[in-house]
Amino acid sequence: MSDVDATAPSGLVAEAARLDAADELRAKRAAFALDDGVAYLDGNSLGALPRAVAPRLADVVAREWGELRIRSWEESGWWAAPERVGDRIGRLVGAAPGQVVVGDSTSVNVFKAVVAAVRLAGGGPRDEILVDAATFPTDGYVAASAARLTGCRIRAVPAGDIGAAAGPRTAAAVVNHVDYRTGRLHDLPGTTAAVHAAGAPVVWDLCHSAGALPVGLDEHGVDLAVGCTYKYLNGGPGSPAYLYIRRGLQPRFDSPLPGWNSHADPFGMSPAFTPADGPARGRTGTPEILSLLALDAALDVWDDVGLAAVRAKSLALTDFFLRCVAALVPEGRVESVTPADHPARGSQVSLRCPSDAEAVTAALVRRGVVGDFRRPDVLRFGFAPLYNTFADAERAARTLAEVL
Ligand SMILES: *Cc1c(COP(=O)(O)O)cnc(C)c1O
């Protein structure tokens, strides 16, 4: 062959190999328990296991719990772990230390953040909570309950229109940074500024952005944010979530779930509640130490990684996957619902597949390509920049073409 056709299957395989060889994050994959027989593209649902977790957790169980027992609250640093691990996550979402606390689930933190946001807005004519119309369900359910509790009503608005919709009646807005179904990245700086101009705070849900792209919470003046740690942060199933409370708001953050752990003097056991200073005000009860310290160990993989490199690789992976799909999958069988333009793309590609997307997902899994399916007809492929390869992308597209 004299002319190499870059769209021929062999051309894409060779290109994937070249891109992987040039990838500055390529050494990171070895830090994860993954086997080359599987293209794991579901890290936006459950991140892969970092190898550092099992030995750390074994030590936490055998020594910190088994031998030191209750002394570990002080001697092993258990008591301060929610804020210490919070600061580690803070670095990944652009928050200076002292503003992030880890604990509870995302759903519970959405509740704390939305009610606290409405309380910050001060009531009066502000009786409307704007909610991302395509939100992940839990945020919508929780916001609706928060609205009933605070005498507000819910107004569902497409995420891109929330800035324009905010006005004198807005008490708070709740927005998903990345749409879990389509992978669309919403305009955090612009929406935050517009809602602020209308005099209300914004709660951002970072579940699908933290660990996949730079967020810039401090830089963009975000008020409150929440996120889970078991997707791109690889904390493990059910690992505790986090809550960001901007420093300037902390004195006025009035949690709807004050517990003894959010008290200024927890061991004073006072009948009267005095909130702690700082992000500890966002705590509730006793921290989930085992899963919290598994998360702590999982975060080690980020220590020498910059988010700009993560973002660059994420976009390169999703670009390459989209090219492979276009080259290999017969015309008209799938259609990308993920934006082609970089500023509007998270770290996943969602393909609408009218012909039984659920069965297609199952067939892909049997062939070692693990993505997932969202009703009614969406195939989701999540790209985790620390461990996914360009070879994974090519394999997924080629296998999809075979299955279809
Ligand atoms: C994954 C996800 C959640 C999950 O909430 P949990 O309380 O951890 O179950 C919430 N919101 C969004 C946007 C998500 O993607």
Side-chain angles (χ1 to χ4, degrees), residues 12-292:
L12 291 170
V13 170
E15 188 177 349
R18 269 199 309 279
L19 289 166
D20 281 325
D23 169 18
E24 61 174 293
L25 294 174
R26 70 183 179 283
K28 281 285 161 190
R29 184 176 163 91
F32 291 86
L34 288 166
D35 55 277
D36 289 334
V38 171
Y40 187 68
L41 300 175
D42 218 358
N44 53 340
S45 201
L46 177 66
L49 169 67
R51 294 186 193 278
V53 171
R56 172 76 188 281
L57 209 47
D59 181 60
V60 170
V61 171
R63 190 178 56 81
E64 296 185 6
W65 179 15
E67 294 172 20
L68 298 177
R69 290 176 289 270
I70 202 156
R71 289 164 54 194
S72 273
W73 284 106
E74 289 302 327
E75 291 176 27
S76 304
W78 289 357
W79 184 262
E83 291 79 29
R84 182 179 61 77
V85 178
D87 284 346
R88 299 188 77 189
I89 292 172
R91 184 183 81 79
L92 302 176
V93 293
Q99 302 177 96
V100 178
V101 65
V102 179
D104 301 322
S105 65
T106 303
S107 302
V108 170
N109 283 308
V110 170
F111 179 74
K112 295 178 206 166
V114 174
V115 174
V118 171
R119 289 173 175 176
L120 280 169
R126 296 192 178 273
D127 63 353
E128 212 168 63
I129 301 175
L130 302 178
V131 177
D132 175 346
T135 184
F136 187 88
T138 211
D139 307 57
Y141 304 156
V142 168
S145 175
R148 288 204 303 280
L149 281 164
T150 55
C152 288
R153 62 187 199 92
I154 292 285
R155 203 170 128 212
V157 177
D161 300 338
I162 283 185
R169 292 191 64 172
T170 306
V174 190
V175 201
N176 292 187
H177 195 196
V178 173
D179 184 297
Y180 75 100
R181 189 182 275 118
T182 63
R184 176 179 289 274
L185 172 63
H186 296 129
D187 175 12
L188 181 145
T191 304
T192 303
V195 178
H196 283 176
V202 191
V203 177
W204 285 93
D205 184 326
L206 309 178
C207 281
H208 284 270
S209 54
L213 50 100
V215 178
L217 291 178
D218 288 350
E219 182 188 349
H220 302 303
V222 167
D223 307 292
L224 300 164
V226 302
C228 64
T229 60
Y230 49 78
K231 293 173 182 164
Y232 294 104
L233 298 178
N234 314 302
S239 56
Y242 58 91
L243 171 64
Y244 164 87
I245 312 170
R246 172 156 56 85
R247 191 182 309 285
L249 293 180
Q250 288 170 2
R252 292 192 293 136
F253 180 85
D254 182 5
S255 173
L257 290 174
W260 75 290
N261 267 241
S262 38
H263 197 284
D265 179 18
F267 292 94
M269 303 288 170
S270 164
F273 183 71
T274 308
D277 287 334
R281 189 175 282 224
R283 285 190 183 199
T284 310
T286 305
E288 310 85 335
I289 293 299
L290 296 183
S291 48
L292 177 58

